[in-house]
Protein backbone atom coordinates (compact mmCIF):
# COMPACT_ATOMS: atom_id res chain seq x y z
CA UNK A 1 0.00 0.00 0.00
CA UNK A 2 1.08 3.57 -0.57
CA UNK A 3 1.76 4.61 2.96
CA UNK A 4 4.21 1.88 3.89
CA UNK A 5 6.82 3.06 1.48
CA UNK A 6 8.59 6.16 2.63
CA UNK A 7 8.67 5.80 6.37
CA UNK A 8 9.93 2.24 5.89
CA UNK A 9 12.58 3.10 3.35
CA UNK A 10 13.99 5.78 5.61
CA UNK A 11 15.21 3.50 8.40
CA UNK A 12 15.22 0.17 6.61
CA UNK A 13 17.82 1.31 4.09
CA UNK A 14 19.86 2.84 6.87
CA UNK A 15 19.95 -0.47 8.73
CA UNK A 16 20.73 -2.75 5.82
CA UNK A 17 22.48 -0.44 3.35
CA UNK A 18 24.91 1.82 5.19
CA UNK A 19 26.79 2.48 1.96
CA UNK A 20 23.81 4.58 0.93
CA UNK A 21 24.62 7.07 3.71
CA UNK A 22 26.11 9.18 0.97
CA UNK A 23 24.45 11.99 -1.01
CA UNK A 24 26.05 13.17 -4.18
CA UNK A 25 26.42 16.91 -4.38
CA UNK A 26 27.74 19.35 -7.02
CA UNK A 27 29.75 22.55 -6.54
CA UNK A 28 28.31 25.84 -5.41
CA UNK A 29 29.56 29.03 -3.83
CA UNK A 30 27.13 30.13 -1.17
CA UNK A 31 27.24 32.86 1.39
CA UNK A 32 25.70 31.69 4.65
CA UNK A 33 23.71 34.04 6.80
CA UNK A 34 23.83 33.55 10.54
CA UNK A 35 20.18 32.50 10.43
CA UNK A 36 20.81 29.76 7.85
CA UNK A 37 23.80 28.47 9.78
CA UNK A 38 21.72 28.39 12.97
CA UNK A 39 18.89 26.47 11.26
CA UNK A 40 21.30 23.86 9.91
CA UNK A 41 23.03 23.47 13.27
CA UNK A 42 19.67 23.04 14.99
CA UNK A 43 18.96 20.08 12.68
CA UNK A 44 22.41 18.52 13.10
CA UNK A 45 22.26 14.94 14.43
CA UNK A 46 25.22 14.89 16.79
CA UNK A 47 24.95 11.33 18.03
CA UNK A 48 22.29 8.74 17.25
CA UNK A 49 21.74 6.17 20.04
CA UNK A 50 23.42 2.90 19.11
CA UNK A 51 25.18 4.35 16.07
CA UNK A 52 28.99 4.08 16.05
CA UNK A 53 31.15 7.11 15.37
CA UNK A 54 30.72 8.26 11.77
CA UNK A 55 32.74 10.60 9.59
CA UNK A 56 29.86 12.11 7.64
CA UNK A 57 27.47 14.86 8.71
CA UNK A 58 23.79 14.08 9.17
CA UNK A 59 20.79 16.29 9.77
CA UNK A 60 17.16 15.59 10.64
CA UNK A 61 14.09 17.63 11.41
CA UNK A 62 11.01 19.24 9.94
CA UNK A 63 10.30 21.44 6.96
CA UNK A 64 6.94 23.22 6.94
CA UNK A 65 4.97 22.80 3.71
CA UNK A 66 1.79 24.62 4.75
CA UNK A 67 2.00 27.28 7.45
CA UNK A 68 -1.73 27.91 7.92
CA UNK A 69 -2.50 24.18 8.31
CA UNK A 70 0.59 23.45 10.37
CA UNK A 71 1.68 20.79 7.88
CA UNK A 72 5.30 19.64 8.01
CA UNK A 73 7.37 16.81 6.51
CA UNK A 74 10.13 15.02 8.39
CA UNK A 75 13.49 14.54 6.68
CA UNK A 76 16.81 12.81 7.39
CA UNK A 77 19.82 13.93 5.37
CA UNK A 78 23.31 12.44 5.05
CA UNK A 79 26.25 14.14 3.41
CA UNK A 80 28.60 12.04 1.30
CA UNK A 81 31.42 10.43 3.23
CA UNK A 82 34.00 11.82 0.83
CA UNK A 83 34.09 15.17 -1.00
CA UNK A 84 30.37 15.98 -0.74
CA UNK A 85 31.00 19.29 -2.48
CA UNK A 86 31.88 17.39 -5.66
CA UNK A 87 28.84 15.14 -5.85
CA UNK A 88 25.10 15.42 -6.77
CA UNK A 89 22.08 15.26 -4.45
CA UNK A 90 19.71 12.27 -4.34
CA UNK A 91 16.26 12.47 -2.77
CA UNK A 92 15.09 9.00 -1.78
CA UNK A 93 11.36 8.95 -1.39
CA UNK A 94 9.78 5.71 0.29
CA UNK A 95 24.13 5.51 -3.50
CA UNK A 96 27.22 7.04 -3.71
CA UNK A 97 25.47 10.32 -3.05
CA UNK A 98 24.44 12.78 -0.35
CA UNK A 99 21.17 11.10 0.61
CA UNK A 100 17.97 12.87 1.60
CA UNK A 101 15.08 10.85 3.01
CA UNK A 102 11.61 12.38 3.34
CA UNK A 103 8.57 10.87 5.05
CA UNK A 104 5.62 11.78 2.87
CA UNK A 105 2.67 12.37 2.88
CA UNK A 106 1.74 13.91 6.21
CA UNK A 107 0.30 11.24 8.47
CA UNK A 108 3.10 8.74 7.86
CA UNK A 109 6.18 8.36 10.03
CA UNK A 110 7.01 11.56 11.90
CA UNK A 111 5.43 13.89 9.34
CA UNK A 112 2.31 15.60 10.66
CA UNK A 113 -0.44 18.15 10.23
CA UNK A 114 -2.22 20.24 12.85
CA UNK A 115 -5.33 20.31 10.65
CA UNK A 116 -7.11 16.98 11.03
CA UNK A 117 -9.16 17.45 7.85
CA UNK A 118 -5.91 17.27 5.81
CA UNK A 119 -5.75 13.50 6.40
CA UNK A 120 -9.09 13.01 4.66
CA UNK A 121 -8.00 15.02 1.64
CA UNK A 122 -4.73 13.27 0.84
CA UNK A 123 -3.95 12.01 -2.63
CA UNK A 124 -1.26 11.88 -5.28
CA UNK A 125 -1.60 15.56 -6.28
CA UNK A 126 -1.29 17.05 -2.81
CA UNK A 127 1.57 14.66 -2.01
CA UNK A 128 3.49 15.83 -5.07
CA UNK A 129 2.82 19.49 -4.29
CA UNK A 130 3.82 19.11 -0.63
CA UNK A 131 7.00 17.29 -1.65
CA UNK A 132 7.83 20.09 -4.07
CA UNK A 133 7.19 22.73 -1.41
CA UNK A 134 9.39 20.73 0.94
CA UNK A 135 12.23 20.81 -1.61
CA UNK A 136 11.93 24.55 -2.22
CA UNK A 137 12.00 25.21 1.52
CA UNK A 138 14.73 22.64 2.20
CA UNK A 139 16.98 24.30 -0.34
CA UNK A 140 16.40 27.58 1.46
CA UNK A 141 17.65 25.91 4.64
CA UNK A 142 20.58 24.25 2.82
CA UNK A 143 21.36 26.74 0.02
CA UNK A 144 24.88 25.36 -0.47
CA UNK A 145 23.28 22.42 -2.32
CA UNK A 146 20.96 24.51 -4.48
CA UNK A 147 22.91 24.39 -7.76
CA UNK A 148 23.98 20.75 -7.50
CA UNK A 149 22.75 18.07 -9.89
CA UNK A 150 19.56 16.73 -8.31
CA UNK A 151 18.01 13.26 -8.68
CA UNK A 152 15.05 11.42 -7.15
CA UNK A 153 14.73 7.73 -6.30
CA UNK A 154 12.08 5.52 -4.75
CA UNK A 155 10.39 2.13 -4.79
CA UNK A 156 6.89 0.61 -4.98
CA UNK A 157 4.19 3.33 -4.74
CA UNK A 158 7.01 5.78 -5.46
CA UNK A 159 6.21 4.71 -9.02
CA UNK A 160 3.50 7.34 -8.54
CA UNK A 161 5.26 9.70 -6.13
CA UNK A 162 8.56 10.08 -8.00
CA UNK A 163 7.33 10.75 -11.58
CA UNK A 164 4.60 13.07 -10.25
CA UNK A 165 7.11 15.09 -8.21
CA UNK A 166 9.46 15.06 -11.21
CA UNK A 167 6.68 16.50 -13.38
CA UNK A 168 5.99 19.30 -10.87
CA UNK A 169 9.70 20.19 -10.81
CA UNK A 170 9.96 19.96 -14.60
CA UNK A 171 6.94 22.24 -15.13
CA UNK A 172 8.02 24.67 -12.41
CA UNK A 173 11.53 24.99 -13.82
CA UNK A 174 10.13 26.32 -17.11
CA UNK A 175 8.99 29.51 -15.37
CA UNK A 176 11.11 29.52 -12.22
CA UNK A 177 13.50 32.29 -11.28
CA UNK A 178 17.07 31.41 -10.41
CA UNK A 179 16.06 31.48 -6.75
CA UNK A 180 13.55 28.63 -7.15
CA UNK A 181 15.12 26.69 -10.04
CA UNK A 182 16.01 23.07 -9.15
CA UNK A 183 18.84 21.52 -11.14
CA UNK A 184 16.83 18.37 -11.77
CA UNK A 185 18.48 15.72 -13.96
CA UNK A 186 16.56 12.47 -13.59
CA UNK A 187 15.02 9.75 -11.46
CA UNK A 188 15.23 6.03 -10.81
CA UNK A 189 12.34 3.88 -9.56
CA UNK A 190 12.30 0.26 -8.47
CA UNK A 191 9.57 -2.41 -8.44
CA UNK A 192 7.34 0.52 -9.20
CA UNK A 193 3.57 0.73 -9.37
CA UNK A 194 3.06 2.38 -12.77
CA UNK A 195 -0.02 1.08 -14.55
CA UNK A 196 -3.06 -0.64 -13.02
CA UNK A 197 -3.81 -2.97 -15.88
CA UNK A 198 -0.31 -4.30 -16.49
CA UNK A 199 0.74 -4.26 -12.82
CA UNK A 200 -2.19 -6.44 -11.77
CA UNK A 201 -2.02 -8.72 -14.78
CA UNK A 202 1.70 -9.16 -14.21
CA UNK A 203 1.19 -10.12 -10.56
CA UNK A 204 -1.11 -12.98 -11.52
CA UNK A 205 1.05 -14.20 -14.40
CA UNK A 206 4.19 -14.05 -12.27
CA UNK A 207 2.56 -16.03 -9.45
CA UNK A 208 1.47 -18.78 -11.81
CA UNK A 209 4.78 -18.87 -13.68
CA UNK A 210 6.67 -19.15 -10.37
CA UNK A 211 4.48 -22.02 -9.12
CA UNK A 212 2.85 -19.93 -6.40
CA UNK A 213 -0.78 -20.40 -7.45
CA UNK A 214 -2.60 -23.36 -8.94
CA UNK A 215 -3.87 -23.67 -12.48
CA UNK A 216 -7.41 -23.40 -11.09
CA UNK A 217 -6.78 -20.12 -9.26
CA UNK A 218 -4.95 -18.75 -12.29
CA UNK A 219 -7.83 -19.62 -14.64
CA UNK A 220 -10.40 -18.19 -12.21
CA UNK A 221 -8.64 -14.85 -11.91
CA UNK A 222 -7.95 -14.58 -15.64
CA UNK A 223 -11.55 -15.40 -16.56
CA UNK A 224 -13.35 -13.45 -13.81
CA UNK A 225 -11.26 -10.25 -13.48
CA UNK A 226 -10.95 -7.39 -15.92
CA UNK A 227 -8.01 -5.26 -14.79
CA UNK A 228 -8.98 -2.44 -17.11
CA UNK A 229 -11.97 -1.75 -14.86
CA UNK A 230 -12.14 -0.01 -11.49
CA UNK A 231 -15.07 -1.94 -10.08
CA UNK A 232 -14.75 -5.42 -8.63
CA UNK A 233 -17.14 -8.20 -9.67
CA UNK A 234 -18.09 -10.70 -6.95
CA UNK A 235 -16.57 -13.63 -8.83
CA UNK A 236 -13.35 -11.68 -9.27
CA UNK A 237 -13.31 -10.86 -5.55
CA UNK A 238 -13.53 -14.56 -4.66
CA UNK A 239 -10.81 -15.49 -7.13
CA UNK A 240 -8.45 -12.80 -5.82
CA UNK A 241 -9.03 -13.90 -2.23
CA UNK A 242 -7.77 -17.35 -3.26
CA UNK A 243 -4.76 -15.71 -4.89
CA UNK A 244 -3.84 -13.61 -1.83
CA UNK A 245 -4.36 -16.57 0.52
CA UNK A 246 -1.12 -18.09 -0.77
CA UNK A 247 0.84 -15.08 0.46
CA UNK A 248 -0.25 -15.72 4.03
CA UNK A 249 2.26 -18.56 4.15
CA UNK A 250 5.12 -17.21 2.01
CA UNK A 251 6.71 -13.77 1.67
CA UNK A 252 5.08 -11.90 -1.19
CA UNK A 253 7.99 -9.45 -1.26
CA UNK A 254 10.63 -12.10 -1.74
CA UNK A 255 9.33 -15.48 -2.84
CA UNK A 256 12.33 -17.49 -1.68
CA UNK A 257 13.08 -15.70 1.59
CA UNK A 258 11.91 -16.95 5.00
CA UNK A 259 9.02 -15.34 6.86
CA UNK A 260 9.34 -13.76 10.28
CA UNK A 261 8.30 -16.59 12.60
CA UNK A 262 10.39 -16.20 15.77
CA UNK A 263 10.32 -12.50 16.55
CA UNK A 264 9.55 -11.69 20.18
CA UNK A 265 7.94 -8.44 19.11
CA UNK A 266 5.80 -9.44 16.15
CA UNK A 267 2.44 -7.70 15.91
CA UNK A 268 -0.23 -8.93 13.53
CA UNK A 269 -1.50 -5.51 12.52
CA UNK A 270 -4.71 -5.49 10.50
CA UNK A 271 -4.32 -2.53 8.17
CA UNK A 272 -7.35 -0.59 6.96
CA UNK A 273 -8.57 -0.87 3.40
CA UNK A 274 -7.82 2.51 1.81
CA UNK A 275 -10.45 3.76 -0.57
CA UNK A 276 -9.30 5.31 -3.83
CA UNK A 277 -5.72 4.08 -3.96
CA UNK A 278 -4.19 2.36 -6.98
CA UNK A 279 -4.39 -0.31 -8.22
CA UNK A 280 -8.15 0.10 -8.27
CA UNK A 281 -9.02 -3.62 -8.30
CA UNK A 282 -6.42 -5.04 -5.89
CA UNK A 283 -6.90 -2.19 -3.42
CA UNK A 284 -10.39 -3.51 -2.71
CA UNK A 285 -9.04 -6.88 -1.58
CA UNK A 286 -8.27 -7.14 2.13
CA UNK A 287 -5.21 -9.28 1.45
CA UNK A 288 -3.55 -6.47 -0.52
CA UNK A 289 -3.49 -4.27 2.58
CA UNK A 290 -2.21 -6.98 4.93
CA UNK A 291 1.20 -7.01 3.32
CA UNK A 292 3.37 -4.45 5.14
CA UNK A 293 6.45 -3.72 3.09
CA UNK A 294 9.99 -4.79 3.56
CA UNK A 295 12.56 -7.39 4.49
CA UNK A 296 14.30 -8.54 6.87
CA UNK A 297 10.85 -10.05 7.53
CA UNK A 298 11.09 -8.96 11.17
CA UNK A 299 12.41 -5.46 10.41
CA UNK A 300 9.12 -3.77 11.23
CA UNK A 301 9.33 -5.13 14.77
CA UNK A 302 12.83 -3.83 15.37
CA UNK A 303 12.51 -0.45 13.72
CA UNK A 304 9.16 0.46 15.25
CA UNK A 305 10.58 -0.13 18.72
CA UNK A 306 13.74 1.84 17.92
CA UNK A 307 12.07 4.87 16.36
CA UNK A 308 9.57 5.13 19.20
CA UNK A 309 12.36 5.43 21.78
CA UNK A 310 12.33 8.95 23.29
CA UNK A 311 16.14 9.24 23.10
CA UNK A 312 16.11 8.37 19.40
CA UNK A 313 13.36 10.87 18.65
CA UNK A 314 15.23 13.53 20.61
CA UNK A 315 18.43 12.86 18.65
CA UNK A 316 16.51 13.16 15.37
CA UNK A 317 14.58 16.28 16.43
CA UNK A 318 11.46 14.24 15.68
CA UNK A 319 7.96 14.14 17.17
CA UNK A 320 8.33 17.65 18.57
CA UNK A 321 4.55 18.15 18.57
CA UNK A 322 3.88 14.87 20.41
CA UNK A 323 1.98 13.12 17.64
CA UNK A 324 -0.86 11.10 19.24
CA UNK A 325 0.14 7.84 17.54
CA UNK A 326 3.40 5.85 17.38
CA UNK A 327 5.82 5.72 14.47
CA UNK A 328 4.86 2.75 12.30
CA UNK A 329 5.87 1.35 8.93
CA UNK A 330 2.33 1.66 7.64
CA UNK A 331 -0.06 4.40 8.66
CA UNK A 332 -3.29 3.34 10.35
CA UNK A 333 -4.56 6.92 10.18
CA UNK A 334 -4.99 7.21 6.43
CA UNK A 335 -8.10 5.40 5.20
CA UNK A 336 -8.98 7.47 2.14
CA UNK A 337 -6.93 8.53 -0.88
CA UNK A 338 -8.44 11.29 -2.98
CA UNK A 339 -6.72 10.69 -6.31
CA UNK A 340 -4.59 7.96 -7.79
CA UNK A 341 -4.40 7.76 -11.59
CA UNK A 342 -4.70 4.33 -13.15
CA UNK A 343 -1.52 4.91 -15.18
CA UNK A 344 1.64 6.98 -14.81
CA UNK A 345 2.69 6.27 -18.40
CA UNK A 346 1.55 9.68 -19.76
CA UNK A 347 3.87 11.38 -17.25
CA UNK A 348 6.75 9.09 -18.23
CA UNK A 349 6.22 9.89 -21.91
CA UNK A 350 6.17 13.61 -21.16
CA UNK A 351 9.39 13.51 -19.12
CA UNK A 352 11.15 11.26 -21.64
CA UNK A 353 10.31 13.81 -24.34
CA UNK A 354 11.68 16.50 -22.04
CA UNK A 355 15.06 14.81 -21.82
CA UNK A 356 14.83 13.68 -18.18
CA UNK A 357 17.05 10.67 -17.42
CA UNK A 358 14.88 7.72 -16.33
CA UNK A 359 15.93 4.30 -15.08
CA UNK A 360 13.49 1.63 -13.92
CA UNK A 361 14.75 -1.40 -12.02
CA UNK A 362 13.17 -4.57 -10.71
CA UNK A 363 14.18 -7.22 -8.19
CA UNK A 364 13.18 -10.47 -9.88
CA UNK A 365 11.95 -12.39 -6.79
CA UNK A 366 9.31 -9.81 -5.84
CA UNK A 367 5.70 -10.95 -6.09
CA UNK A 368 4.17 -7.61 -5.06
CA UNK A 369 5.11 -5.61 -8.15
CA UNK A 370 6.99 -8.28 -10.09
CA UNK A 371 9.39 -7.99 -12.97
CA UNK A 372 6.69 -9.48 -15.23
CA UNK A 373 4.38 -6.56 -14.47
CA UNK A 374 7.08 -3.98 -15.10
CA UNK A 375 8.02 -5.56 -18.42
CA UNK A 376 4.37 -5.50 -19.52
CA UNK A 377 4.17 -1.84 -18.50
CA UNK A 378 7.32 -0.76 -20.32
CA UNK A 379 6.21 -2.61 -23.46
CA UNK A 380 3.01 -0.57 -23.26
CA UNK A 381 5.11 2.60 -23.60
CA UNK A 382 6.08 1.49 -27.11
CA UNK A 383 9.62 2.87 -26.96
CA UNK A 384 12.19 1.99 -29.59
CA UNK A 385 14.81 -0.51 -28.41
CA UNK A 386 18.35 0.91 -28.62
CA UNK A 387 20.25 -1.99 -27.02
CA UNK A 388 18.74 -5.45 -26.69
CA UNK A 389 18.25 -7.50 -23.51
CA UNK A 390 21.69 -8.43 -22.18
CA UNK A 391 23.40 -9.35 -18.89
CA UNK A 392 25.17 -6.89 -16.62
CA UNK A 393 27.80 -7.94 -14.12
CA UNK A 394 28.69 -7.39 -10.52
CA UNK A 395 32.30 -8.55 -10.27
CA UNK A 396 32.40 -12.12 -11.63
CA UNK A 397 28.67 -12.83 -11.46
CA UNK A 398 25.66 -11.80 -13.52
CA UNK A 399 23.93 -9.08 -11.52
CA UNK A 400 20.83 -9.13 -13.70
CA UNK A 401 19.67 -8.04 -17.13
CA UNK A 402 19.22 -4.73 -18.84
CA UNK A 403 17.61 -3.27 -21.92
CA UNK A 404 18.09 0.25 -23.23
CA UNK A 405 15.10 1.99 -24.76
CA UNK A 406 14.99 5.37 -26.47
CA UNK A 407 14.69 7.55 -23.36
CA UNK A 408 14.60 4.89 -20.62
CA UNK A 409 16.81 2.14 -19.20
CA UNK A 410 15.36 -0.98 -17.55
CA UNK A 411 17.46 -3.09 -15.18
CA UNK A 412 16.68 -6.32 -13.34
CA UNK A 413 18.53 -7.37 -10.20
CA UNK A 414 18.92 -11.12 -9.92
CA UNK A 415 17.73 -12.61 -6.64
CA UNK A 416 16.40 -9.37 -5.15
CA UNK A 417 12.96 -8.89 -3.65
CA UNK A 418 10.67 -5.88 -3.41
CA UNK A 419 13.12 -3.50 -1.73
CA UNK A 420 16.17 -4.23 -3.80
CA UNK A 421 18.86 -2.61 -1.57
CA UNK A 422 17.71 -4.81 1.30
CA UNK A 423 18.52 -7.99 -0.59
CA UNK A 424 21.36 -6.93 -2.87
CA UNK A 425 23.06 -3.89 -1.30
CA UNK A 426 26.34 -4.04 -3.22
CA UNK A 427 24.66 -4.57 -6.57
CA UNK A 428 22.25 -1.74 -5.73
CA UNK A 429 25.09 0.61 -4.91
CA UNK A 430 26.69 -0.20 -8.25
CA UNK A 431 23.38 0.46 -10.02
CA UNK A 432 22.95 3.85 -8.33
CA UNK A 433 26.54 4.87 -9.10
CA UNK A 434 26.15 4.06 -12.78
CA UNK A 435 22.77 5.80 -12.97
CA UNK A 436 24.12 8.98 -11.40
CA UNK A 437 27.17 9.01 -13.65
CA UNK A 438 25.01 8.19 -16.70
CA UNK A 439 27.14 5.19 -17.60
CA UNK A 440 26.23 1.72 -18.87
CA UNK A 441 26.39 -1.10 -16.35
CA UNK A 442 29.36 -3.48 -16.87
CA UNK A 443 28.64 -5.92 -19.68
CA UNK A 444 31.52 -8.25 -18.76
CA UNK A 445 32.87 -9.78 -15.53
CA UNK A 446 35.41 -7.64 -13.71
Amino acid sequence: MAFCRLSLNLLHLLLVFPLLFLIILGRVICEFTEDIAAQQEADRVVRLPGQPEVSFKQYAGYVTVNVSHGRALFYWFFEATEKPQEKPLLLWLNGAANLLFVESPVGVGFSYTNTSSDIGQLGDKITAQDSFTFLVNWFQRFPQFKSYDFYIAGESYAGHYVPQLAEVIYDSNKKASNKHYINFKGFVIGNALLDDETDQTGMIDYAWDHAVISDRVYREVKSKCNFNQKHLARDCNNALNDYFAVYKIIDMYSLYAPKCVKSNFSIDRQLPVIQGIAPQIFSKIEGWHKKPAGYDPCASDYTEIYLNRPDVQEALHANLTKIPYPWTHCSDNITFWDDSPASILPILKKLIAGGIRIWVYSGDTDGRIPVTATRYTLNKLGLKTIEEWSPWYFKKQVGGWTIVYDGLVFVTIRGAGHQVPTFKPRQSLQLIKYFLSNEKLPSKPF
Side-chain angles (χ1 to χ4, degrees):
M1 60 187 283
F3 315 106
C4 302
R5 295 268 55 84
L6 300 188
S7 56
L8 173 65
N9 278 344
L10 185 152
L11 187 71
H12 200 96
L13 288 176
L14 302 182
L15 291 175
V16 301
F17 201 0
L19 289 176
L20 279 180
F21 283 3
L22 315 167
I23 294 188
I24 303 185
L25 307 169
R27 291 189 175 95
V28 66
I29 298 175
C30 175
E31 293 183 4
F32 283 92
T33 65
E34 290 185 2
D35 182 59
I36 288 174
Q39 289 182 48
Q40 291 188 16
E41 189 58 32
D43 285 0
R44 179 82 178 271
V45 178
V46 179
R47 184 65 183 269
L48 187 65
Q51 185 182 56
E53 292 286 348
V54 295
S55 60
F56 53 83
K57 291 182 180 179
Q58 55 182 319
Y59 303 82
Y62 287 96
V63 172
T64 299
V65 296
N66 188 302
V67 175
S68 63
H69 284 223
R71 204 157 68 231
L73 298 183
F74 179 77
Y75 80 92
W76 197 349
F77 172 59
F78 302 86
E79 285 194 4
T81 57
E82 295 180 357
K83 299 181 179 179
Q85 71 278 7
E86 297 182 2
K87 301 175 181 176
L89 171 64
L90 175 65
L91 168 66
W92 191 287
L93 289 177
N94 86 116
N98 290 290
L99 190 59
L100 174 60
F101 290 104
V102 179
E103 293 192 310
S104 175
V106 292
V108 303
F110 292 126
S111 296
Y112 69 89
T113 177
N114 292 329
T115 305
S116 57
S117 60
D118 284 350
I119 300 299
Q121 298 172 359
L122 292 174
D124 282 13
K125 291 180 181 178
I126 194 171
T127 299
Q129 187 57 54
D130 276 1
S131 295
F132 176 72
T133 303
F134 165 87
L135 279 175
V136 171
N137 294 342
W138 188 88
F139 278 123
Q140 290 179 1
R141 188 175 302 180
F142 292 88
Q144 66 268 37
F145 303 133
K146 185 71 172 59
S147 65
Y148 294 15
D149 289 351
F150 177 71
Y151 299 89
I152 315 174
E155 298 178 313
S156 196
Y157 201 81
H160 280 223
Y161 290 151
V162 171
Q164 288 168 333
L165 174 57
E167 183 182 32
V168 174
I169 296 172
Y170 176 80
D171 289 342
S172 176
N173 276 348
K174 291 180 179 179
K175 54 186 178 182
S177 63
N178 289 337
K179 180 179 179 181
H180 293 118
Y181 185 87
I182 296 175
N183 195 21
F184 179 54
K185 298 297 184 182
F187 63 83
V188 54
I189 45 179
N191 292 84
L193 191 74
L194 292 170
D195 183 87
D196 274 14
E197 187 265 324
T198 48
D199 286 341
Q200 294 173 121
T201 299
M203 286 180 69
I204 303 303
D205 291 353
Y206 180 90
W208 179 82
D209 193 50
H210 285 73
V212 172
I213 58 174
S214 68
D215 291 355
R216 179 192 65 80
V217 170
Y218 179 72
R219 286 195 299 267
E220 285 291 306
V221 174
K222 298 293 278 190
S223 63
K224 305 296 185 184
C225 298
N226 183 347
F227 294 134
N228 282 311
Q229 296 180 347
K230 291 185 178 181
H231 302 292
L232 187 66
R234 179 177 298 178
D235 288 345
C236 175
N237 183 88
N238 294 335
L240 289 178
N241 281 331
D242 287 343
Y243 160 78
F244 278 108
V246 179
Y247 289 118
K248 294 179 181 178
I249 57 175
I250 64 172
D251 190 343
M252 188 182 203
Y253 297 90
S254 182
L255 296 191
Y256 310 114
K259 288 177 63 71
C260 180
V261 294
K262 292 185 178 181
S263 170
N264 294 327
F265 315 107
S266 187
I267 301 172
D268 185 17
R269 190 195 315 277
Q270 300 298 306
L271 298 174
V273 174
I274 299 177
Q275 301 178 35
I277 199 169
Q280 297 292 341
I281 294 292
F282 279 12
S283 65
K284 295 177 174 64
I285 303 297
E286 190 177 19
W288 172 259
H289 298 272
K290 290 183 178 179
K291 292 292 170 190
Y295 187 86
D296 158 346
C298 301
S300 60
D301 299 324
Y302 316 142
T303 54
E304 287 189 17
I305 289 174
Y306 183 75
L307 284 179
N308 283 299
R309 284 172 46 176
D311 59 339
V312 172
Q313 293 181 1
E314 182 180 3
L316 292 174
H317 318 116
N319 199 16
L320 301 177
T321 58
K322 302 304 176 186
I323 301 170
Y325 47 82
W327 187 98
T328 61
H329 283 265
C330 297
S331 173
D332 294 332
N333 307 298
I334 302 171
T335 58
F336 177 78
W337 199 244
D338 187 57
D339 62 283
S340 185
S343 181
I344 302 297
L345 297 187
I347 297 178
L348 293 186
K349 290 179 180 179
K350 172 182 176 179
L351 296 177
I352 289 171
I356 301 299
R357 186 188 313 163
I358 301 174
W359 282 27
V360 178
Y361 66 87
S362 184
D364 64 10
T365 68
D366 174 32
R368 181 64 180 264
I369 306 178
V371 63
T372 305
T374 302
R375 294 178 78 177
Y376 287 166
T377 299
L378 296 182
N379 285 338
K380 202 172 182 178
L381 273 175
L383 300 174
K384 179 183 178 181
T385 299
I386 303 300
E387 294 184 19
E388 264 294 352
W389 190 263
S390 59
W392 65 272
Y393 284 83
F394 175 74
K395 297 184 178 179
K396 301 296 182 184
Q397 301 293 328
V398 172
W401 308 87
T402 184
I403 183 170
V404 179
Y405 296 106
D406 185 11
L408 184 147
V409 175
F410 176 55
V411 181
T412 73
I413 298 86
R414 194 161 63 99
H418 189 63
Q419 287 187 297
V420 170
T422 305
F423 300 92
K424 297 291 181 179
R426 293 178 178 84
Q427 290 87 336
S428 299
L429 180 60
Q430 177 174 296
L431 185 152
I432 289 294
K433 283 183 175 179
Y434 278 76
F435 163 73
L436 292 172
S437 61
N438 198 22
E439 296 178 8
K440 297 177 182 177
L441 286 162
S443 59
K444 297 180 180 179
F446 58 93

